[in-house]
Amino acid sequence: MNQVDTQIHSVKTTRPNIHRTDSIRSSSAGYLSDYASDASSTPNANGYETPPSKVSTPMQRPMQESEMTLPARPTEAALPAPLNIRSNRQERSRAERDVPDFDRLSPPTPGVDDTPYIRFAIEQITFDEELMGRGRHSSECYQTPAATRQPSDDQPAQNPQPQPQPNPQREPPRRPMQFPRASSDHRRGRAGEVMLLPSDPPRERHQLGFVPIPLRIISLGPLVFLCLLIVVALIFSNVYALTNHGLYDYDTNTSARYFVFQYLPPLLGMIIIFWLFVVQAAIYRIMPYFSMSKKGPSTRRDRTLQTMPITPANFVLPDWRFFQMGEPLIGAVLTIFWLTYWTIPLLSCLYGTQWFTNVGAPRFRWTPVQGLGWFIMVQYLVLIVALVMCMIRFRKRNSALMWDPTSLADLIILFQRSNILPDYIQSETKEHMRTELPPRYCRLGYWTTNQSPDFFYAVGEANQPFLELSTSFEPSANEKVESTRTSGESQAELRYSQASSFLRMLHSPWVRYRWCPWFLRDGAILAWAIAAVLLLIAFLVVSFVNKAVGRGFFALLPATTQANGFSPANFLYSFVPSLLGMFLFLAWQPIDVYFRSVQSYANLSEQTGATARRSILLSYNAMLPGLVALRALMNGDIKVAYMSFISIMAATIPVLAGGVFTALLFSNGEVRMTASMPGYIALCVFTSIYALSYLVVWPTRYRYLPHSIDTVAGNVSFLYASRLLKDSSIRNIRTKADFIARLDGRVGTTLTGDGHRRRRQNEKDTDREARYGFGIYTGIDGKEHLGIDRMQRPGSGEMLVTTGVGGRQGR
């Protein structure tokens, strides 16, 4: 006992230099070892080392010296005998045990922060609240206090002061964590890495150069010809009316001539607009791929995948984003398309009635407004120039496509062997893809590698390493993953925080059902519905109370037609109603586009999933407007069919509204604005259907997503970890028909990975089609992800699909 007292006295009086060393993680440790203790540290320059965590025996010190620090190892001559000194309570506890078990005791390792374990306990307590959306934001984490600054090896150690450990529960949340990406040095590649090299298409492979049908000369040519016919008709109308005192005699406002001069011009213009919608949709969906077909990097093309839109957005307001993305020609074309939309109100007031007295008996005759006729003619000539620009831009030699990428399944072919997929790790829960992904100069075409002569087709970045997704987070032997956190926080704590936060966001309904366009959120839809119903009631009351429209009303403007055919009253009561109707028509198009685009995810979110043709092969945005409603009806997508029908029906509102009113001279000598009652009744019916449609436009939970899908990156974020990208049965696909057959599971080699040939049990049996779902699945890296995959796979569990409602309710 005296010897022990002497040793204790020696420790207290000698007070050796106290030195604290940060735990250095072995460079050969893998990703899983980051969660373990940093006990295996490398020796420092002075020959000191960190004691093993299982047998460390920190010595008893006064309370002012209670911070755990590592004492410097004294020389062998002054090295005291090993001690195992504990407090009185610890001594009594150990004395009660017959056999000490150091593995079970494992006292805390000096120098190792236990914050990750505290954080784990806090997160487990708040996990249920987070899943219900009541907890703190999933992407936020409590800030860990920075480690106390320690002296270096060549500096004398200072007397350590006690540092109180703050309560993590009272720490303010900090900004959302940025997940580590592969560093720039890692992307440059090192010796022995597989590098992705661009290559020309081999002769035996499918030659590139596909252009969608709406952008080919065979489709744009007839559209240009139709525009030329309208230009010729306008020129003839203006010239003939000047030389022949008008065109035809006016009879009544319910005759065939009234339809020809008031309804037919805007109706022809609306046909051209629907044709432009089809051309515009084709431009949007293939423009990112045509941009990646260009040779050479461009500073404006380094964010093509995450910024260039693939869903049409050039309706009520012009879309000028392509000017900022290095595509000024496409930006000019879309601007001309948008200006052409507003020719419908001008065409509605192109013709009017004029009193002629020098051609036989005095009478009213139909005549064009000369100024409007020439202006519309110039506008259609500009449209012809824009269409010719499309022919020049979308030539076969400018394309690197094998077929038209109209569906989610086409992304599988484009990205199954891409080297940019590690950039998308944990991106499915991000809200804004544009700021989460690093800039990449992507290229679409054929590739090869520096270690294999094989050719393959994909989207990738030239001269960059081909990294597998499963190893994208693991640092190499002489490289550490970049971190923005403080030096006192270990890599294990950083990795733990990221994994824990990502899993909580992955299972959070608040994240799963977070995104919807602003104009389809509950508050916006409620406002639209109330406004539409109130305006509809006011419109019907003003129209039919006391037969105001049937009896006519005073124009409050001069109704006399001038020599050039212009009448202020006729122009006002034709242009303004048609303009308002055109606004209603264009305002519905984004709603229709959204329901078309998101229907694939809605079908995938069903409890039992959906077949390939009803989910990842759906291409409603690439169909003609009339065919969408019919195809959606056949597929059982009732809401898409209804929205598409309303988008077509709404085209009648500006056509009827612009031609229903005209100024007439009554027998008592008064000039009043009167309406063509058949056209006005039809206008009231179509307007009522349009207004009441806002009551059923609410998207259900099936159509809510974690983030927007209007870019290629937004869709790839739900596919980057899917096993569909690694399935060998869909490699080296030559035709889209073969690709569709493999996705349906109707061919010998299926997507189950077992490679067996499907057999019919009897002649009446039919093949069971493969089903796909959108939910939480186990990805190719062995971790949980949110996205698209097969509902069932051999050797793996079923997909977790959370919809919030059962069956097909609300769809």
Side-chain angles (χ1 to χ4, degrees), residues 598-606 700 702-703 811:
V598 82
Q599 188 59 39
S600 300
Y601 292 94
N603 293 340
L604 287 168
S605 299
E606 294 180 10
T700 59
Y702 284 97
R703 295 177 176 87
R811 298 189 60 253

Side-chain angles (χ1 to χ4, degrees), residues 183-262:
S183 64
S184 58
D185 295 336
H186 186 61
R187 285 197 303 241
R188 290 194 200 104
R190 299 180 301 272
E193 281 187 328
V194 180
M195 305 295 292
L196 205 61
L197 305 177
S199 175
D200 294 330
R203 294 182 179 179
E204 67 275 6
R205 293 299 182 91
H206 192 287
Q207 297 299 316
L208 306 180
F210 179 86
V211 177
I213 294 178
L215 299 178
R216 297 179 186 175
I217 298 179
I218 192 176
S219 177
L220 293 178
L223 180 57
V224 171
F225 181 73
L226 180 59
C227 293
L228 286 174
L229 287 180
I230 293 179
V231 170
V232 172
L234 291 171
I235 295 175
F236 173 79
S237 176
N238 283 359
V239 174
Y240 184 84
L242 289 175
T243 58
N244 293 275
H245 306 285
L247 298 175
Y248 285 98
D249 292 343
Y250 173 82
D251 43 12
T252 62
N253 59 2
T254 58
S255 64
R257 291 182 184 179
Y258 189 90
F259 175 83
V260 170
F261 287 103
Q262 292 293 86

Side-chain angles (χ1 to χ4, degrees), residues 251-292:
D251 43 12
T252 62
N253 59 2
T254 58
S255 64
R257 291 182 184 179
Y258 189 90
F259 175 83
V260 170
F261 287 103
Q262 292 293 86
Y263 298 130
L264 186 59
L267 188 61
L268 292 176
M270 192 62 70
I271 293 175
I272 292 181
I273 287 179
F274 275 112
W275 203 327
L276 292 180
F277 282 172
V278 176
V279 174
Q280 179 176 270
I283 292 176
Y284 270 90
R285 71 172 176 266
I286 70 167
M287 198 57 228
Y289 308 107
F290 266 76
S291 180
M292 289 186 291

